[in-house]
């Protein structure tokens, strides 16, 4: 894996760090490929329960590397899109830990994550129009799914930034922390990782997919997804652990 992306595992959490602090973690082809490889690992390894995506040096990601763009480089991975994640996020939960700026493609990386923990001083925006570009990696399409359309339009058309308190009020981020965003994200990840992995995975899938299901098919489609969970070893273990007043020993099956 490229040194532009670093990974390490801690208590079932895969921490993925964009490691280009000298360039405000601007996204390159190599970094995108590194993130894609980390997402493959997150989904493939049973010991990993949650992923965290963050940036080195006090910035999450400032967007596409414009120098690379001028050289004709595209920070896109086939099948996964910009940054190796925006078009095909992992099946397991992914948390963005945001310090500093999440701008342009950086914001698009962030909104591809399931949950967001941000430091109090973080800033967010899609300023592509200021450079004659369009936030085409999900910004203009996905942002209106996460915040009111008029606010999404304002961000897309002005290119202006919002701060962490405003982003929290809009529901764009989950938590604002006074300390390091990674610490806050690890606390959230630990809460998730303590739960049944099959149930967590299917719960995410249903939340993400069900809005596109026809109303008269929703419960039938949900039933197909949850049936294996309710007859799993983990479901029995969860009930037994509750009755015996102990922590569950999840097997993921």
């Amino acid at each position: 894996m490229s040194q532009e992306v670093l990974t390490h595992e801690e208590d079932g959490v895969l921490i993925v760090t964009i490691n280009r602090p000298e360039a405000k973690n601007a996204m390159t082809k190599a970094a995108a490929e590194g993130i894609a490889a980390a997402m493959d690992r997150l989904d493939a390894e049973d010991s990993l329960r949650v992923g965290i995506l963050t940036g080195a040096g006090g910035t999450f990601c400032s967007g596409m590397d414009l120098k690379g763009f001028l050289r004709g480089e595209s920070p896109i991975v086939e099948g996964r899109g910009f940054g190796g994640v925006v078009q095909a996020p992992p099946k397991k939960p992914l948390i963005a830990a945001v310090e500093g700026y999440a701008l342009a493609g950086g914001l698009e990386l962030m909104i591809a994550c399931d949950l967001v923990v941000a430091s109090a001083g973080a800033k967010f925006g899609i300023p592509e129009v200021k450079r004659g570009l369009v936030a085409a990696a999900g910004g203009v399409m996905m942002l209106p799914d996460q915040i009111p359309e008029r606010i999404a339009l304002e961000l897309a058309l002005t290119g202006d930034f919002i701060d962490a308190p405003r982003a929290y009020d809009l529901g764009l981020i989950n938590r604002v922390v006074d300390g390091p965003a990674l610490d806050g994200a690890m606390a959230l990840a630990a809460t998730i990782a303590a739960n049944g992995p099959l149930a967590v995975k299917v719960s995410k899938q249903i939340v993400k997919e069900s809005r596109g299901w026809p109303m008269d098919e929703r419960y039938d489609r949900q039933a197909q997804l949850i049936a294996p969970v309710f007859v799993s070893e983990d479901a029995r273990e969860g009930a037994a652990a509750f009755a015996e007043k102990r922590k569950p020993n999840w097997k993921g099956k």
Side-chain angles (χ1 to χ4, degrees):
M1 185 178 294
S2 166
Q3 289 302 302
E4 294 190 8
V5 173
L6 304 177
T7 62
H8 77 276
E9 179 183 348
E10 185 175 334
D11 297 326
V13 179
L14 183 65
I15 303 168
V16 182
T17 304
I18 307 167
N19 187 40
R20 304 191 69 235
E22 75 288 349
K24 302 296 183 184
N25 297 321
M27 186 56 52
T28 62
K29 179 71 168 180
E33 290 172 345
I35 293 172
M39 298 301 102
D40 288 341
R41 178 185 171 192
L42 174 61
D43 276 339
E45 295 185 14
D46 291 340
S47 63
L48 297 173
R49 303 290 178 82
V50 184
I52 294 176
L53 180 62
T54 192
T59 295
F60 181 69
C61 176
S62 59
M64 177 175 63
D65 186 283
L66 293 179
K67 293 180 181 178
F69 172 73
L70 292 174
R71 294 193 302 267
E73 179 182 287
S74 176
I76 291 173
V77 174
E78 185 176 356
R80 283 201 177 270
F82 179 85
V85 71
V86 299
Q87 286 181 254
K91 295 177 181 178
K92 294 176 184 176
L94 181 62
I95 303 169
V98 179
E99 301 277 355
Y101 292 95
L103 302 178
L107 182 84
E108 292 165 320
L109 286 178
M110 186 192 86
I111 65 175
C113 296
D114 302 303
L115 303 168
V116 182
V117 176
S119 64
K123 304 287 185 183
F124 311 87
I126 43 174
E128 279 87 344
V129 290
K130 294 180 182 291
R131 300 291 179 263
L133 301 171
V134 176
V140 292
M141 289 191 297
M142 304 303 293
L143 200 54
D145 289 340
Q146 300 190 19
I147 62 175
E149 182 179 297
R150 283 189 176 85
I151 305 300
L153 271 171
E154 181 179 348
L155 292 175
L157 302 182
T158 66
D160 290 343
F161 304 166
I162 58 174
D163 59 18
R166 176 66 168 152
Y168 177 80
D169 289 343
L170 290 168
L172 184 61
I173 63 180
N174 296 85
R175 299 182 182 182
V176 180
V177 294
D178 291 327
L182 183 56
D183 289 352
M186 282 296 295
L188 180 56
T191 301
I192 296 169
N195 297 326
L198 293 178
V200 165
K201 183 178 177 180
V202 171
S203 293
K204 170 180 170 173
Q205 182 181 0
I206 293 171
V207 169
K208 293 292 187 180
E209 295 180 4
S210 61
R211 283 174 297 169
W213 295 344
M215 289 295 294
D216 61 349
E217 297 179 12
R218 284 188 171 189
Y219 278 95
D220 289 339
R221 292 196 183 194
Q222 176 180 261
Q224 294 174 15
L225 294 173
I226 67 173
V229 177
F230 276 71
V231 298
S232 67
E233 290 185 33
D234 277 357
R236 293 192 293 274
E237 169 63 11
F242 177 79
E244 297 165 11
K245 298 182 180 180
R246 59 172 175 81
K247 290 184 178 180
N249 179 24
W250 306 120
K251 296 181 179 179
K253 58 183 181 180

